[in-house]
Each structure stands twice: as structure tokens, then as C-alpha cells.
Amino acid sequence: MPETTPTGLTGLAFGGDYNPEQWPETVWREDMALMREAGVTMVSVGIFSWALLEPSPGTHDFGWLDRVMDLLHENGIRADLGTPTVAPPAWFYRAHPDALPVTAEGVRYEFGSRGAICHSNTAYREASAAITEQLARRYAEHPALAMWHVHNEYGVPVSACYCESCAAHFRVWLRAAYGSVDAVNEAWGTAFWGQRYGSFEEIEPPRVTPTVGNPAQALDYRRFADATLRENFVRERDILHRLAPGTPVTTNFMTALSQCDSLDYWAWGREVDLVTNDHYLITDGRRTHVNLAMAADLTRSVAGGAPWLLLEHSTSGVNWQPRNPAKAPGQMARNSLAHVARGSEGALFFQWRQSRRGAEKFHSAMLPHAGTDSRVWREVVELGASVGELASLKSTRTVADVAMLWDWHSWWAQSLQWRPSEDHDARERADTFYEALYDRHLTVDFAHPEADLSAYPLVVVPALYLATEAAALNLKEYVAQGGTLLVSYFSGIVDEHDAVHPGPCPGALRDVLGLTVEEFSPLLDGRSVRITGPGGTELTGDVWTEFVVPRGAETVWTYADGLTAGRPAVTRHRIGDGTAWYVSTRLTARDLDALLADACADAGVTERPELPRDVEVVTRRGGSGTYVFAINHTESEAKVPLDAHGTELLTGERAAGRLAVPAGAVRVVRLDG
């Protein structure tokens, strides 16, 4: 069996994407010396090098890569070796122009960027398998090889193609999924608008139509596109497993909901030997460290709680947003170690040396244009030393307090056209619920709705529009056995085919919630409603309200105005040994705090009210001990209580009682015992 961590690494990984082909060979030895100075332990190589490795069809040039791999080995640096299949060469597209993807509007993309691939194209599949086999045969036994890196960021920037090759492939996929065209008609509800199909050959991809097309067809096409990308990953992975047994194979995910919405990472997580992730701060005025924590928690959850690896992030500013500010002093280390706190086995960047040419020449790097006499370089060297000091926590696991349910299929379905309100956004609800949990200093595991939830005292459901019968039964059993469930509005509405569950909403969840919804009543833009609760508590809802009818649930908060005035806004249902809460309007993270306080009390969740806002405390635990990370995102020193004595690994100081964490700093305490 392949390893599940990079081979040959005794500590944590530190480094980044290395693109020596962009530089003369005279620079390479300078790179090696500087990598040693920075504490680099692993780099990713070869990801965009297909045109250099195979300059013409069937003609290969591995000499330059041989020299790079040898240099890495000589300098004690491990290689995450890429298969370059994200960027086929110009000669390939000249021979196979039909391998370029086609949009739903019928426009075929051109060569000149990256990721412009029709993943159903036979010529692409054969060529990518061939170059992967060549690499595996040449480097399987190379002493620098730590792991294989297949492709790059699947689904970005193109996740779906709508060409004739994809149409034929889609029909094959449908036949395997449904068995008969009658079953497709039933699942898609094609009796509506006279869309019934008489044969598979009549079915096309959901291309542009005069008005809204069939939502179930569009949902299945997203599933098909995701599965097609995964087929190509698995094909390359299996070649590498066969020719380089024992070496782990991965591909870099982009799990942050702000960065990729086209892949079902629950399914992808089962196919890689090691889950890795790329994460970049979205500088849109939000608290970027909360999005970072959420992405790290989601990545760890996709890995099943096992350690994972941050394969890319930035040392400072990126170059692809409308505005790309630099990171503040100390933020690079704080971001990196926040990922480590939440399960990453290291921190790598894009990229090692800042490019002089190309689309990403203004993207920050470990070695910037300013060179070694720069703030970024000095912080890189300091961070490399810090990562080295944390070697002992390798293979430990992050300890979570609560769970949040997330399902990419539900997100895809809810994002389709003609829903009750365009202002309701599943990602926004997930972000908001996560932020509310973060502000209560709770570490979150994400879980699939059908997963075992018995380990969690509290499960939060921010957006589960699509809920299968299996998921509904799972949640009902979870609550009956003593769990506490908190569900947000417009959840449980449809089945896996986007068909409304029979009977009143919330469909699959009405029994566990103990209520029905007579009617949705979304609010107009800018409108809000008041909600009153125990002790005169008053909250504000916007975007959405519902006409809720309790069927066993008790009313806790009530609408005070609007069409739903006097009706339940928030309910609580006791079922078996547990409790299910329902909130039927959109609340801000601060207003959600009032609900979470009660839900946490029901669940018996231990909270840390003494911690300041924006100070994270996260625990990793394993055979080597218990490690407490304290991360201060504020501009003032924070005092963090410790339950036991220990040693602070980054300073070597002893810690007891209360740990002082300077403004913007990180402290990592290994507890005694």
C-alpha cells in the first residue's frame, strides 16, 4: 500500500512550488543554498512542464529534470513530483483542437492559458496517461521522490465542457447511473414542459436554452463533470501506483468554498493517498483568518480527520483579485501555523522564486523580486525555523468540539435557477454559521449528512436544501440518541434528483424538527423582521421568513412583524434523548450567537468565554503528546488559560496557568505528561 505521508520526511514539510525551468541553470545552485538557509524540506516540481518534457510527440527530454532532482537529493530536499497534465503542449492542441473545451454557449476556448481541457477527449486521456507513465518509469526509484502530484487544481478554471465528446460520454454515464432512459425520465421529471426522451441518443448536455432548463439534468451534469475529472485523476494515479508502489499520490484540492464549487471533495478525499490543499486569502473585507480556519477544518474533514498537507498558499499578496494587498508583518507565519494547528503536516507556498514573466509575475513568493534583503525573505527564514521546531507533532490529530454538515451536491442543487430568493446563498450560510462557532472558540469538523455523527454533542446544519432519505434518518437517529441539532431554513426540501419530498416542507426533516412549513415568504431586498424571544431578547432576520406550524416543537423566538408576525421563528423539538433546533430566517453571526448559546447548553458543549475575540486556541493530540496552539489575530497581547503545564516550542519557555501571546503572534505549547 502507498504511504499516506510524503516519504523521507521526518518532520513537517516546508517549501513551495519550484519552477527551475523559468531560470538559467546558473541560478539553480543558488536556489539550493537559499533553500537550505530557509529550512526548506520539500518542493513541488514539474507541474507545468509537459512542453519541455515532451517537446514533440513521442520525443522526451528529461535531462534538465534529472539534474533538478539530483540537486534536490544532494541538498536533502524532497520532491513532490508533478504530472504536467494540466497544461498540454501547443503541438498537442494543434493535432487535437477538439481537446479544447466548449462552453455551454458553444464557444470553444483557445490555447494560451492553463487547464483548457476537455476531460472526455480520448486523445487527451491517452496523451496524459503516456507522459505519466514515462515519468513514473524514470523517477519511481529516485531518492529525492517524496510523493506524486497529479495534474493541478482540478476544476479550476474549467470544470465542465459541453462538446460532442462530452455529450457522448454523458450518455454513457447516464446509462451506467440509471440503466434505462425511462429511469432518467422519472428522475428528471421530464413530463414537465414536454421534455421526455425516447432514447439516450436524444439527450444532450444542458447547453444554453431560451429560458431555464431542466434543473435535475443540470444537477446530474455537474455530477458527471466532477466524476469525469476524477476518472482522469484515478487513471494517472493507478499508473503511478503500479510503477512506483509505496509512493503516495495526491492532487491539490481547493476546498475553501470561496475558491472552488465544482468538485465533490468527499468523493475526491477517498481517492488520494494524502489529502492536500491550496488556500488563498480572499481580501474582500471579511475576516480572512476565519475563512482560513474554515478551509483548514474542511480539508481535515475531507481527510477523515487524518493529517493533511497545505500544498500552496501565499507569502504575501496574490495577483488575481481586483486588489491584492500585502500581508502584514507576522501574518505569513500566523496563517501558516493556523493551518498546522488544524491538521496540516506543514506549510508550502506558491512559489519558491517570484517569476519575472508570465501571468503570475506579481504573485508573491518565498524569494521575492526584492531578494534576500527583504521583509518577506526574513519572515520565510524565521518561519522555516519555527516549522522545524514543530517536528514532534507530526501525525497528531486536531481535536474538534462540534460538527457542521456540508454536501457539495446540495450546494449545486440550491445554486440552480428559479429558487424562491436569489439572496439565499448556501455558502453565505455556511460562512456565517462557521463564524458564529469560531467566535465561541469551538473547533469544527465538517461531515457529510449521511456520516456517523455520534462523536459530536452538537451538529449544525447551515444549508441542506437537498437531503436524502438516508440523511434524514441519520439525523433523526442522531437526535434520538442524545445529540443536539441546529438546522437553518430551506433545508430538507428536495431529494437527490431535485424533486420536492412528498408532503409539506421541510420534507425529509419535518419529523426530526417537529414542524411543517406552510409557505416560504422571502423578503424583498433591504427588508428585515424583528424576532422576540425569552427575557425580551430581540434579534433581526432578513432575506427569508416562513409560515412555520409546530407539530411537536415548541416556539422559542417569534416573528414580531412582517407577514409572519406572531408565527414561530425559532423552534426547539425534543425527540428521544436529544434536541433539534430550527431557525426559519437569516440571522447574522452575532445574532446566531444567542441560538448557539442555548444549543451548546443543550449539548453540554464546553466553551471558553474568557478568550478574546479573534484569539484561536486549537489542540492537536497523538502519540507524541498534546499540543495547544494559541493564535492571536489581534493588535493586543492576549492571555490564554492553560489546563496543564508545558513547554512553548517556538521560544523554549515554560508555560503554566496563563500563556501570554503577543499581538499577532503564535505560541505552541506541548503539555507535560
Side-chain angles (χ1 to χ4, degrees):
M1 291 293 292
E3 294 290 329
T4 56
T5 59
T7 58
L9 280 182
T10 55
L12 303 184
F14 183 68
D17 281 33
Y18 183 39
N19 298 292
E21 63 271 30
Q22 297 179 14
W23 303 90
E25 289 199 33
T26 52
V27 175
W28 296 0
R29 288 197 177 274
E30 177 189 347
D31 284 334
M32 296 300 116
L34 291 174
M35 285 182 190
R36 290 199 308 272
E37 181 181 341
V40 168
T41 60
M42 187 171 77
V43 294
S44 301
V45 291
I47 295 169
F48 295 100
S49 301
W50 195 342
L52 295 177
L53 296 171
E54 190 175 7
S56 61
T59 301
H60 299 96
D61 178 7
F62 293 108
W64 69 272
L65 186 54
D66 289 348
R67 295 190 292 278
V68 169
M69 293 289 285
D70 290 346
L71 275 174
L72 292 173
H73 177 59
E74 290 169 17
N75 287 274
I77 299 167
R78 309 295 292 165
D80 167 38
L81 183 54
T83 68
T85 52
V86 70
W91 60 256
F92 172 81
Y93 287 119
R94 185 174 178 84
H96 305 285
D98 58 339
L100 288 161
V102 175
T103 68
E105 294 79 14
V107 176
R108 189 179 294 277
Y109 287 120
E110 294 291 343
F111 172 78
S113 181
R114 66 169 192 173
I117 299 164
C118 167
H119 281 267
S120 294
N121 184 268
T122 300
Y124 169 75
R125 290 183 169 211
E126 291 175 351
S128 60
I131 189 64
T132 298
E133 183 163 337
Q134 289 285 336
L135 284 164
R137 291 189 183 280
R138 191 168 191 92
Y139 297 107
E141 301 298 328
H142 197 285
L145 182 65
M147 65 180 186
W148 294 101
H149 180 309
V150 171
H151 204 268
N152 184 72
E153 295 178 348
Y154 278 98
V156 179
V158 178
S159 60
C161 171
Y162 297 81
C163 71
E164 287 304 317
S165 293
C166 288
H169 192 189
F170 184 42
R171 295 178 196 117
V172 171
W173 183 88
L174 288 171
R175 191 182 297 273
Y178 290 100
S180 71
V181 73
D182 287 342
V184 174
N185 283 316
E186 175 64 23
W188 290 2
T190 56
F192 185 81
W193 280 0
Q195 297 170 345
R196 184 172 181 81
Y197 297 102
S199 69
F200 282 106
E201 287 65 34
E202 295 174 0
I203 300 175
E204 299 287 347
R207 300 182 178 117
V208 172
T209 51
T211 185
V212 175
N214 187 313
Q217 179 189 17
L219 177 58
D220 264 351
Y221 203 76
R222 295 200 70 159
R223 290 171 171 143
F224 157 75
D226 171 54
T228 301
L229 297 176
R230 201 159 54 250
E231 281 177 19
N232 284 353
F233 166 77
V234 168
R235 185 172 186 177
E236 290 188 46
R237 180 205 65 192
D238 289 351
I239 291 170
L240 297 169
H241 279 174
R242 174 169 54 86
L243 297 176
T247 302
V249 180
T250 191
T251 186
N252 45 339
F253 295 168
M254 297 193 75
T255 62
L257 305 185
S258 55
Q259 289 165 347
C260 183
D261 66 354
S262 56
L263 302 189
D264 175 5
Y265 282 119
W266 295 124
W268 282 82
R270 295 190 291 268
E271 300 295 348
V272 296
D273 299 323
L274 168 67
V275 167
T276 64
N277 195 49
D278 296 353
H279 182 264
Y280 293 97
L281 302 181
I282 303 299
T283 51
D284 59 359
R286 304 186 191 199
R287 297 157 70 201
T288 55
H289 53 279
V290 180
N291 176 273
L292 184 157
M294 181 177 178
D297 283 345
L298 184 52
T299 307
R300 181 187 68 253
S301 302
V302 166
W308 56 279
L309 181 59
L310 176 66
L311 209 52
E312 287 185 27
H313 70 314
S314 66
T315 57
S316 192
V318 298
N319 72 320
W320 40 264
Q321 299 181 83
R323 296 157 203 85
N324 299 286
K327 290 186 177 180
Q331 188 178 359
M332 178 203 308
R334 197 163 64 250
N335 290 165
S336 301
L337 296 179
H339 284 287
V340 174
R342 295 176 185 273
S344 178
E345 294 282 75
L348 289 88
F349 296 92
F350 180 85
Q351 60 180 323
W352 163 251
R353 184 182 283 268
Q354 197 167 13
S355 299
R356 291 186 56 228
R357 298 175 175 84
E360 294 188 285
K361 56 183 170 289
F362 298 118
H363 191 295
S364 62
M366 299 174 77
L367 182 59
H369 293 312
T372 56
D373 187 15
S374 64
R375 174 179 69 89
V376 165
W377 173 254
R378 287 186 285 273
E379 290 193 19
V380 163
V381 173
E382 183 179 355
L383 175 60
S386 295
V387 171
E389 293 295 334
L390 301 179
S392 63
L393 62 76
K394 183 178 170 65
S395 299
T396 59
R397 296 194 173 206
T398 301
V399 179
D401 301 301
V402 299
M404 179 181 289
L405 297 193
W406 183 254
D407 180 21
W408 276 274
H409 293 234
S410 179
W411 190 18
W412 298 342
Q414 187 183 305
S415 300
L416 296 171
Q417 295 172 289
W418 285 14
R419 298 307 186 234
S421 173
E422 66 178 16
D423 297 325
H424 174 44
D425 178 357
R427 178 200 154 191
E428 182 277 330
R429 283 293 80 191
D431 286 347
T432 299
F433 271 77
Y434 184 89
E435 184 177 1
L437 292 166
Y438 178 96
D439 284 342
R440 298 191 77 83
H441 304 287
L442 298 172
T443 302
V444 178
D445 273 350
F446 285 81
H448 187 275
E450 297 177 16
D452 180 8
L453 304 173
S454 59
Y456 305 104
L458 173 64
V459 173
V460 172
V461 185
L464 191 61
Y465 164 75
L466 184 158
T468 63
E469 291 291 346
L473 179 61
N474 188 44
L475 295 182
K476 187 174 182 180
E477 290 180 346
Y478 164 75
V479 175
Q481 292 168 9
T484 300
L485 185 70
L486 174 59
V487 179
S488 186
Y489 65 90
F490 205 44
S491 293
I493 308 303
V494 300
D495 67 12
E496 60 269 34
H497 303 299
D498 198 46
V500 174
H501 285 287
C505 294
L509 301 184
R510 61 176 174 259
D511 289 343
V512 68
L513 296 174
L515 56 85
T516 58
V517 174
E518 289 184 346
E519 192 175 2
F520 306 130
S521 185
L523 301 177
L524 296 179
D525 187 36
R527 300 290 178 85
S528 62
V529 292
R530 290 185 302 111
I531 301 166
T532 56
T537 308
E538 186 166 302
L539 309 175
T540 301
D542 65 3
V543 170
W544 192 276
T545 62
E546 294 177 345
F547 290 89
V548 173
V549 179
R551 309 284 185 183
E554 60 177 303
T555 300
V556 183
W557 270 273
T558 303
Y559 289 111
D561 54 21
L563 285 180
T564 54
R567 296 271 190 150
V570 177
T571 61
R572 183 184 189 214
H573 185 219
R574 297 185 185 278
I575 177 172
D577 295 327
T579 305
W581 290 80
Y582 183 64
V583 52
S584 65
T585 186
R586 192 178 82 163
L587 301 177
T588 65
R590 287 190 178 275
D591 277 358
L592 274 175
D593 187 69
L595 270 70
L596 282 172
D598 286 346
C600 286
D602 278 352
V605 171
T606 301
E607 302 178 81
R608 309 192 71 163
E610 73 280 6
L611 290 175
R613 190 171 191 250
D614 291 327
V615 175
E616 298 180 40
V617 176
V618 183
T619 300
R620 285 184 64 157
R621 184 177 296 133
S624 63
T626 297
Y627 301 81
V628 176
F629 284 73
I631 306 169
N632 186 356
H633 297 284
T634 77
E635 297 179 357
S636 303
E637 181 180 85
K639 299 289 188 180
V640 174
L642 291 175
D643 296 331
H645 294 194
T647 300
E648 205 290 304
L649 298 181
L650 302 182
T651 63
E653 298 175 355
R654 291 290 294 168
R658 297 181 73 82
L659 174 68
V661 186
V666 180
R667 293 291 181 261
V668 185
V669 177
R670 181 178 178 175
L671 300 181
D672 295 341

